[in-house]
Amino acid sequence: MGKRYDLVIVGTGTAAMVSAMRVRAAGWSVAVVDFRPFGGTCALRGCDPKKMLVSGATAADHAARMLGKGIAGDTHVDWQDLIAFKRSFTNPVPQNREEVFADKGIDTFHGQARFTGRTTLEVDGEALEAKHILIAAGAEPMKLGIPGEEHLIDNEQFLELESLPRRIVLVGGGYIAAEFSHIAARAGAQVTVLQRGARMLTHFEPDLVDWLMEKFETAGIDVRTGTVVEAIEKGANGYRVKASFEGREIAVEADLVVHAAGRVPALDDLDLNAAGAAVKDGRLRLNEYLQSVSNPAVYAAGDAAQVGPPLTPVSSHDAKVVAANLLEGNRQKPDYRAVPSVAFTIPPIAAVGLSEAEARRKGLNIGVKAQKASDWFTARQAAEPTYGFKVVVDEETDHILGAHLVGPHADEVINIFALAIRHGLTAEQLKTTMFAYPTGASDIGSML
C-alpha cells in the first residue's frame, strides 16, 4: 500500500494552488504532484513572464512613438537584461511554492503522475492512493503532425532564450503568435507569422483586429494569413519553413521557429484509461460540477478541464468550484459569464461578452457603437494612433452585452465592462458614472 490522502492534485499551477489551500484548510490530507518545477504555466511559462517581456517592449515602443515629442536619443530593448528582469520574478517561484505547501502541511511529489487505478497513482515508482484526485495539469502545445515538428520551440523555450535570433517564424495566429511577435519585433528581430486562417486573433472583433494589424505592419511584422505550414527543414544555417498559400508552395528562412498554433489539455501521460476517466476529442468528459462522468473520484480544473476559456482567472474560479464540491458535495457549477480576455500586443486588444455577430445570431435587438478613435485624447497623449472600440448594448433592457477595445489602457478598461456585464449594470448607469480624468476609463461614457 502507498501513501493515502483525501485529495491528490496533479499539477502545481493556479488551479492546484487554490484548491489545495482551500481543501487543506478544511482539515483534509492533501498531496500535490508535478514533474516540472512547481508553479505552473502562468507563473513560470506563460502570463507573468510574458507580461514582464511585454513591459520592456512596450517601453521601447512608447519611447519610439515619443521621439520628437519631448523624447530624444536611442531607446532599445537589451534582450539579456530583459530576460534577467523576467527571471528575477520566475526564478524564486518554485521554491516559494514548495515552502507554502510545506507550511500548510501539504505533501509534495516530484515526477510524472500516472494512474494505476480509479483512485491510485504512481509517481516515479511511489504509489499514492486518494479518495479524490484533481487533474490540474495545465495544457501543452498541440501536435501539428508535420515533418520536422521536432524543430519547433514552445512558449516556455521562447521565454528562456538567452539571446534573440535575427529571423523568427511563428506558426499560428492566436494569442501566443500575436504577443510574441510584438515582443520579438520590438527587440529587433525580423518576424514572420504564418497563420492558417483568414485572419489573426479570431477571438476578437474583426474590425478591431484590422485596426491592430496596422500596428503589426508598423512594427515590421510580416503576417501571412491563409498560409498552411507543411514542413520544417533544418539546414546548416537555420531552418526552412515550407508552406502553401493559395495552392502555391512558399518557403521562409528562419533562425528560430516557434509553435504558436494552439494548446490542448496535458492528459496524454496520465494513463486515464487506468483511471476509467472518459475522454472525448482530447478532453476529459466532465459533468456540470467539473467531475468525471465515468469516475466520480476524479475532478478537473483550469486548462486541463478546458470547460471555460483557457485563462488564469478561470483556473482559479474552477478550483474554487471543485474545492466547494469536494467539501460540501456537488452543489456549485462554474459561472463563465463576462470573463474578459486580453492579448498583450502593443497596444493591447481586449474583449468581454458577446461579439456583434454573436448577438445578432441570438436574434437580440441590439445597438452597436463603434469607432476608431485615433483623435481622442487617450490616443494622442500616448502618440498611439491605434485606438478604438465597439460596444454592444441590448436596446430593450439597456444592458451591456459586449465590449471590445484596442489601444492604450484597453487591458484595464475592459475590466470595468466585465463588471458591468456580470452584475447587470445598464449602459446608462455606466455612462453617468464619474471616472477620474484624464484616464482610459474616462472614455467609457463616450463609448456608450
Side-chain angles (χ1 to χ4, degrees):
M1 293 292 292
K3 294 185 177 180
R4 303 186 67 177
Y5 296 92
D6 294 315
L7 175 66
V8 171
I9 303 172
V10 180
T12 56
T14 301
M17 185 73 170
V18 172
S19 56
M21 293 295 111
R22 293 193 169 214
V23 172
R24 178 60 186 149
W28 284 31
S29 58
V30 180
V32 295
V33 183
D34 207 330
F35 70 96
R36 293 176 177 270
F38 282 21
T41 298
C42 182
L44 294 177
R45 303 178 291 274
C47 325
D48 292 345
K50 169 201 69 186
K51 188 66 183 293
M52 297 186 82
L53 298 189
V54 168
S55 68
T58 299
D61 188 73
H62 194 183
R65 298 197 309 270
M66 291 298 293
L67 285 174
K69 302 177 181 67
I71 299 299
D74 172 38
T75 301
H76 64 277
V77 172
D78 183 305
W79 184 260
Q80 290 185 337
D81 285 351
L82 187 58
I83 289 293
F85 175 57
K86 183 220 60 154
R87 288 175 178 162
S88 70
F89 173 82
T90 56
N91 283 359
V93 169
Q95 182 178 341
N96 290 346
R97 190 64 57 94
E98 295 213 40
E99 290 175 353
V100 169
F101 287 138
D103 180 64
K104 299 298 182 182
I106 297 169
D107 287 353
T108 57
F109 294 87
H110 292 268
Q112 176 63 60
R114 290 182 175 83
F115 281 93
T116 56
R118 293 177 68 83
T119 57
T120 56
L121 294 162
E122 182 180 277
V123 182
D124 286 353
E126 186 164 8
L128 306 179
E129 184 175 354
K131 293 180 181 178
H132 303 280
I133 297 170
L134 170 60
I135 299 174
E140 59 190 2
M142 66 184 295
K143 298 292 189 295
L144 301 184
I146 59 174
E149 184 171 1
E150 66 275 12
H151 299 310
L152 291 161
I153 72 164
D154 60 17
N155 57 296
E156 178 179 6
Q157 294 165 302
F158 179 89
L159 293 168
E160 287 294 334
L161 288 172
E162 296 288 348
S163 59
L164 194 68
R166 184 174 65 86
R167 302 169 302 171
I168 298 176
V169 169
L170 293 116
V171 179
Y175 291 81
I176 294 174
E179 294 168 341
F180 283 12
S181 65
H182 276 240
I183 293 168
R186 294 330 187 286
Q190 175 186 319
V191 181
T192 303
V193 177
L194 303 179
Q195 157 70 333
R196 175 188 292 267
R199 66 182 181 92
M200 291 189 69
L201 294 168
T202 55
H203 291 91
F204 296 91
E205 275 286 335
D207 296 350
L208 275 68
V209 173
D210 287 345
W211 299 337
L212 181 61
M213 295 312 298
E214 296 172 9
K215 200 62 188 283
F216 279 78
E217 184 176 350
T218 300
I221 301 167
D222 181 8
V223 177
R224 306 188 189 187
T225 56
T227 302
V228 180
V229 174
E230 297 177 340
I232 301 163
E233 297 177 348
K234 182 174 175 58
N237 299 309
Y239 302 94
R240 169 169 288 189
V241 183
K242 301 180 76 171
S244 62
F245 173 72
E246 294 182 347
R248 295 183 290 107
E249 292 186 358
I250 62 171
V252 182
E253 305 295 329
D255 302 307
L256 183 74
V257 188
V258 183
H259 188 307
R263 292 166 64 80
V264 295
L267 306 176
D268 287 351
D269 295 326
L270 297 178
D271 196 0
L272 293 172
N273 286 333
V279 176
K280 183 178 181 181
D281 298 328
R283 297 186 184 186
L284 284 158
R285 292 186 58 203
L286 304 173
N287 63 21
E288 56 193 347
Y289 304 104
L290 299 179
Q291 181 185 41
S292 168
V293 297
S294 57
N295 182 349
V298 173
Y299 287 77
D303 287 355
Q306 213 166 92
V307 177
L311 303 169
T312 297
V314 169
S315 295
S316 178
H317 176 73
D318 283 358
K320 294 171 185 175
V321 169
V322 169
N325 289 336
L326 288 171
L327 296 172
E328 303 165 7
N330 284 349
R331 297 178 184 177
Q332 291 201 20
K333 305 173 186 178
D335 178 2
Y336 303 125
R337 289 175 302 146
V339 178
S341 179
V342 179
F344 289 97
T345 47
I346 305 172
I349 186 169
V352 66
L354 299 178
S355 68
E356 178 182 359
E358 288 169 337
R360 294 196 186 283
R361 282 197 295 271
K362 289 177 176 289
L364 299 173
N365 181 18
I366 61 171
V368 178
K369 188 170 182 180
Q371 182 179 342
K372 187 177 182 185
S374 302
D375 59 342
W376 286 17
F377 181 79
T378 296
R380 294 182 62 188
Q381 63 85 26
E384 177 53 84
T386 302
Y387 184 51
F389 64 91
K390 177 182 283 189
V391 180
V392 182
V393 177
D394 189 313
E395 292 279 68
E396 296 177 4
T397 66
D398 198 39
H399 286 141
I400 299 168
L401 301 176
H404 310 271
L405 312 173
V406 64
H409 314 299
D411 52 333
E412 296 290 351
V413 176
I414 199 66
N415 291 315
I416 296 174
F417 282 106
L419 179 74
I421 295 173
R422 191 170 181 90
H423 296 284
L425 299 181
T426 65
E428 183 63 21
Q429 287 172 322
L430 203 56
K431 190 172 184 177
T432 55
T433 299
M434 288 185 284
F435 295 104
Y437 178 87
T439 64
S442 63
D443 286 345
I444 289 176
S446 300
M447 295 178 179
L448 296 167

